[in-house]
Amino acid sequence: MENKTIKVLDTTLRDGEQTPGVALNPDEKLELAKALDDLGVDIIEAGSAITSKGEREAIRRISREGLNAEICTYARGLKTDVDAALECDVDSVFVVVPTSDIHLKHKLKKSRTQLKEMMTETIQHARDHGLIVELGAEDATRTDLEFLKEVFQVGVEQGAERVCVCDTVGVMMPEQTQELFSDLTQTLEVPVTAHCHDDFGVGTANTIAAVRGGAREVHVTVSGLGERAGNAALEEVALALTKFYEYETNVDLKKVYGVSKLVERITGLPVPPTKAIVGDNAFSHEAGIHTHGVLSRPSTYEPISPEMVGQKRRLVFGKHVGSHAIKSELEKRGLKPNGEQLEEIFAKIKELGDRGKLVTDAEWTAIVDEVMGRTLEKIVELEELTVTSGNKVTPTASVKIKFQDKDFTESGVGVGPVDAVINAIRKVVEEISSIKLQEYHVDAISGGTDAMVSVVVKLTDGKRIITSRGSSGDIIMASVQAVLNGVNRLLWDKKLGGGA
């Protein structure tokens, strides 16, 4: 009987960290590794041990954490790389050797015979020291097929337990990928694995095609991070295999959105709103006819329920919004507008949208409060703010915030004064509530010396995600306003029993 369970090797901590601008310290790597293990990935490629002392420390800490996943490190076809891996107590090494003529000639500068000799020594060295070996052929999809088979066969004879086809520059198309894997899996007696890049936007499609061709392990990264256009995305591959094909993985799909947000926070790389499955717009609806349909029956415009991947449905209010969405959201918050009020709210939101404005939660609720005669109580208020910054001075901020007749004082440091202020406020907010800051960005800056700065933040209380805005001639005050406006909105809605 064919094995329908596909192993997942996550390389966010190695190939994902090779994304330009991303550098993870040992604490961050360990936090992500624990999250990946909890997610259910089978193998965690924790890094490349030969890279640096700090990298080896991170991999060693992950190896000693007692995780369920197999812990792996990347190694070139060199015994020194295996020695570095042995220092880290890993379970396995992903030994990667270039196999295409272009790589052999211009990068490795070795002949095919020399490559096989080097690879043989490396695999033997790793096996002699008890490591599991997965042999990867770099640029395999531009390698002469007979030579590729020869490399893999030699590797298996030396003890490699898995072999990996690396579509290093993403040049395969899905039908070619399936044909290649079908050929290789009939030839080789060990599992064949797929490592696909997304240079032409088919990383996920190629990975699925590889599985259909016989691959029994896939290499992926959270949110598709990686060099250039990135790697096949873990969440896309895992969902597609189980949704459209009769395969299984050990990935807990309900946790993929949470892990994606963690990776976003730690790497500092925002997930595009339109990113499949984990993007904030993946289950967001604004257009009137779409919103009406999804409220009547979610499957009209949602291929899966957002809860399946740990997401939530969001109704976005802008110039495309319909009255059904507005009425539904108001009722969800425990409000019952009459026909005249509903029409006025609808008209004001349309007007904002026509002016090209982002209708944030704060603006939407301000309209509702005005039309329905509600007064937003300032549950949390800024009492004092002190910021210190300058050359050779670590930016530091101190805030005093009033909440329920009590004063809370906290300080924070940051890479700049705004970061320090946000960190100080974050400490207070998380001390008095379950609200967390998810995202911060400067939305718009007007021209001139008296420029107005508009700051937009996303906050969540675990049940809702809201967007709030603050505007001021001072970016620090705009930031404070944005956060506190959002906090007050969430606390006010909770007090009224709404905000589901």
Side-chain angles (χ1 to χ4, degrees):
M1 183 177 175
E2 186 185 6
N3 181 7
K4 289 289 190 176
T5 301
I6 306 302
K7 282 191 171 184
V8 174
L9 180 150
D10 183 277
T11 181
T12 303
L13 300 182
R14 198 273 300 175
D15 220 336
E17 193 187 15
Q18 290 172 204
T19 304
V22 175
L24 306 173
N25 63 44
D27 288 339
E28 292 168 336
K29 281 209 165 192
L30 180 59
E31 184 179 359
L32 286 174
K34 288 159 71 174
L36 292 168
D37 190 59
D38 182 60
L39 182 62
V41 304
D42 302 283
I43 306 165
I44 297 172
E45 190 178 15
S48 176
I50 198 66
T51 300
S52 67
K53 181 179 178 182
E55 183 81 338
R56 287 189 287 280
E57 178 194 343
I59 298 170
R60 192 179 303 115
R61 287 176 63 183
I62 292 169
S63 297
R64 295 176 180 175
E65 188 65 23
L67 303 179
N68 293 318
E70 174 187 315
I71 306 304
C72 174
T73 179
Y74 176 93
R76 297 167 298 175
L78 299 171
K79 292 168 70 174
T80 51
D81 283 35
V82 173
D83 289 334
L86 291 168
E87 288 182 36
C88 302
D89 300 328
V90 293
D91 302 305
S92 62
V93 282
F94 180 36
V95 176
V96 179
V97 295
T99 54
S100 68
D101 289 338
I102 189 172
H103 275 240
L104 286 172
K105 179 180 179 180
H106 297 287
K107 188 180 87 168
L108 200 62
K109 302 187 188 307
K110 290 185 183 296
S111 68
R112 289 181 172 185
T113 300
Q114 289 173 313
L115 169 74
K116 287 186 289 184
E117 290 173 352
M118 179 182 76
M119 177 187 77
T120 295
E121 289 182 3
T122 305
I123 294 173
Q124 287 177 344
H125 187 55
R127 295 294 291 134
D128 288 345
H129 288 82
L131 291 172
I132 298 167
V133 174
E134 179 169 331
L135 173 63
E138 185 177 13
D139 207 23
T141 52
R142 293 193 295 183
T143 299
D144 173 72
L145 181 56
E146 292 308 311
F147 180 61
L148 180 64
K149 290 179 180 179
E150 186 181 344
V151 167
F152 282 154
Q153 195 59 55
V154 170
V156 172
E157 289 169 1
Q158 301 307 317
E161 297 180 42
R162 307 185 293 261
V163 296
C164 180
V165 174
C166 301
D167 189 15
T168 303
V169 290
V171 294
M172 273 286 197
M173 288 294 112
E175 65 277 7
Q176 298 170 310
T177 300
Q178 185 168 346
E179 183 180 343
L180 173 62
F181 274 81
S182 181
D183 188 347
L184 290 173
T185 52
Q186 290 175 33
T187 305
L188 299 162
E189 295 180 357
V190 298
V192 182
T193 74
H195 181 108
C196 300
H197 281 260
D198 203 38
D199 294 76
F200 290 90
V202 288
T204 293
N206 275 335
T207 304
I208 294 164
V211 171
R212 297 188 71 200
R216 287 298 167 262
E217 176 189 309
V218 294
H219 290 204
V220 291
T221 59
V222 175
S223 306
L225 292 186
E227 294 184 87
R228 303 182 315 280
N231 291 45
L234 180 152
E235 61 281 357
E236 294 175 11
V237 171
L239 180 61
L241 287 175
T242 55
K243 171 74 174 173
F244 299 107
Y245 303 95
E246 295 180 0
Y247 296 105
E248 297 177 358
T249 73
N250 292 315
V251 171
D252 186 345
L253 290 170
K254 288 185 174 66
K255 295 179 179 178
V256 295
Y257 178 70
V259 174
S260 174
K261 298 308 286 187
L262 176 65
V263 170
E264 180 180 48
R265 175 176 64 80
I266 288 177
T267 63
L269 288 178
V271 174
T274 52
K275 170 72 181 67
I277 302 167
V278 294
D280 282 345
N281 287 0
F283 299 94
S284 296
H285 309 273
E286 179 187 338
I289 190 170
H290 283 207
T291 307
H292 188 191
V294 86
L295 288 171
S296 301
R297 188 177 182 87
S299 61
T300 52
Y301 290 103
E302 289 177 349
I304 60 169
S305 72
E307 290 76 17
M308 184 177 179
V309 291
Q311 277 261 44
K312 289 184 181 295
R313 180 177 302 114
R314 294 176 64 215
L315 301 181
V316 178
F317 300 100
K319 68 179 181 179
H320 300 108
V321 74
S323 58
H324 288 90
I326 294 173
K327 185 178 180 182
S328 173
E329 185 64 20
L330 290 170
E331 288 175 349
K332 196 191 299 184
R333 299 187 185 198
L335 300 172
K336 296 180 180 179
N338 58 39
E340 188 178 324
Q341 289 173 326
L342 182 62
E343 187 60 36
E344 188 176 352
I345 293 168
F346 177 72
K348 286 181 178 292
I349 289 173
K350 287 275 190 180
E351 182 189 354
L352 273 179
D354 282 338
R355 284 161 44 197
K357 286 203 68 177
L358 170 68
V359 184
T360 67
D361 295 87
E363 284 150 342
W364 138 259
T365 47
I367 290 170
V368 173
D369 292 340
E370 177 189 347
V371 173
M372 299 191 68
R374 301 197 320 162
T375 303
L376 175 63
E377 178 185 339
K378 286 190 176 180
I379 300 172
V380 173
E381 290 188 86
L382 178 68
E383 296 280 287
E384 292 179 14
L385 170 63
T386 305
V387 182
T388 304
S389 182
N391 290 334
K392 298 182 180 180
V393 175
T394 301
T396 306
S398 176
V399 296
K400 181 192 285 188
I401 290 176
K402 187 175 183 179
F403 172 67
Q404 294 181 341
D405 297 324
K406 294 181 182 177
D407 288 333
F408 293 80
T409 303
E410 283 287 358
S411 60
V413 297
V415 295
V418 173
D419 190 37
V421 169
I422 292 295
N423 288 335
I425 292 177
R426 190 201 306 264
K427 289 181 184 178
V428 176
V429 169
E430 292 184 0
E431 183 179 349
I432 64 179
S433 70
S434 60
I435 297 171
K436 294 185 182 297
L437 176 66
Q438 277 198 342
E439 189 177 308
Y440 168 99
H441 68 271
V442 178
D443 185 51
I445 303 178
S446 61
T449 56
D450 58 345
M452 287 294 290
V453 179
S454 181
V455 170
V456 176
V457 298
K458 282 186 181 177
L459 301 164
T460 181
D461 59 2
K463 294 181 179 179
R464 292 176 59 207
I465 299 173
I466 72 160
T467 306
S468 179
R469 187 197 300 273
S471 299
S472 172
D474 181 340
I475 191 171
I476 293 175
M477 289 311 300
S479 304
V480 172
Q481 283 178 20
V483 174
L484 294 187
N485 285 345
V487 169
N488 276 312
R489 171 51 53 195
L490 284 169
L491 292 176
W492 178 237
D493 284 346
K494 185 176 180 181
K495 184 177 179 180
L496 293 178

